[in-house]
Amino acid sequence: MTAPTDTHRRRKPRPATRERLRKAALSHIDRYATSAANLRAVLMRRVTRSARLYGTDPAEGESWADEIVAELVERGLVDDRTYAETRAASLHRSGASRRKILASLSVKGVGEDDIARALEALDRQHPDAEFVAACRHAQRRRLGPWRTRAPDEKTRGRELASMARAGFGYRLACRIVDASDPEELDSDG
C-alpha cells in the first residue's frame, strides 16, 4: 500500500462565512436540481462542520443559510414546484411507483401541494402512469414476462414481493407478474 500523496489528501474545509455559504449554494444548484429544504440542509451540514472544527456560531450560520435560500427562491433559481415535476417525471421514467415518488420528494423537503401538483402533471402526461411505471420496473428487474429463466414455485412470491417493495399495489403486481409475455399486457388494456 502506498502512502497518500498531496494530490490524494482531502483538504481541510475552511470556516463557514456568509460568502462561502453563498458560493457553496450557487455551486450546488449549478450541479444538482434541488428543493429549498434540501439546499438548506446542505448548507447547514457545512455550518455544523464549521462549528465543530472552527467554533462558528451555529445560530448565525443558520440565519445565513436561511437568507441565502430565501434569496435564491426569490430570484427563481430554486423552485420546489419545478423540481418536484422534473424529479417525478424522472422517477416515473425509471419505473418508480406513485408511493415511491411521493416518498422521494417528501424526503427532499418538497411541500405537499407541490408534490400533489407534480403527481397531477404526471397523470395528465401519462393517463395510466402507474401501470407504465410498474411495467418499466418489472422490465428493469426482469420480472414477470421479462424474466430470463423459467419460474419455479418461489419465483412468483419473490416477484410480487419486489413489486410491493417498489410501492405497487397487489392487483397491479399480480397482473404484471402473471403475464406470460409483454404483448399480453398490451392487450389487457
Side-chain angles (χ1 to χ4, degrees):
M1 179 162 220
T2 61
T5 62
D6 288 336
T7 58
H8 289 49
R9 289 186 186 152
R10 286 181 58 123
R11 64 184 174 98
K12 191 174 179 183
R14 299 189 326 214
T17 64
R18 182 190 314 259
E19 191 54 37
R20 285 188 184 134
L21 284 179
R22 188 171 188 288
K23 285 181 182 179
L26 291 172
S27 175
H28 187 79
I29 64 173
D30 189 38
R31 294 182 70 189
Y32 308 104
T34 188
S35 66
N38 189 56
L39 180 60
R40 184 182 183 284
V42 167
L43 296 178
M44 286 308 299
R45 283 194 296 270
R46 284 180 173 260
V47 168
T48 302
R49 184 176 54 220
S50 181
R52 188 179 65 245
L53 294 174
Y54 299 105
T56 305
D57 181 21
E60 187 176 33
E62 185 175 2
S63 70
W64 293 339
D66 290 339
E67 290 170 14
I68 292 165
V69 170
E71 174 195 348
L72 295 176
V73 167
E74 183 180 315
R75 294 172 76 190
L77 297 173
V78 174
D79 182 9
D80 282 0
R81 184 176 184 179
T82 303
Y83 170 73
E85 288 176 3
T86 56
R87 184 72 178 139
S90 173
L91 288 168
H92 176 262
R93 282 191 304 274
S94 70
S97 67
R98 290 178 66 85
R99 288 182 189 121
K100 187 170 184 173
I101 292 169
L102 191 145
S104 176
L105 293 174
S106 294
V107 165
K108 292 295 184 178
V110 178
E112 290 177 16
D113 291 341
D114 291 326
I115 293 173
R117 285 189 188 112
L119 292 173
E120 287 170 11
L122 194 60
D123 289 338
R124 280 192 305 275
Q125 291 172 353
H126 306 280
D128 204 3
E130 192 74 352
F131 174 73
V132 171
C135 287
R136 286 182 183 151
H137 174 77
Q139 189 174 12
R140 286 179 61 225
R141 303 278 302 177
R142 297 183 182 192
L143 308 175
W146 293 279
R147 71 176 68 90
T148 56
R149 292 184 286 177
D152 61 8
E153 57 206 43
K154 294 182 181 178
T155 301
R156 184 174 188 270
R158 285 189 201 126
E159 290 181 356
L160 288 174
S162 174
M163 296 291 285
R165 284 190 302 271
F168 297 106
Y170 180 73
R171 284 190 175 154
L172 180 58
C174 285
R175 179 178 167 196
I176 291 171
V177 167
D178 293 340
S180 58
D181 61 24
E183 288 77 29
E184 182 181 326
L185 291 171
D186 290 338
S187 64
D188 281 351

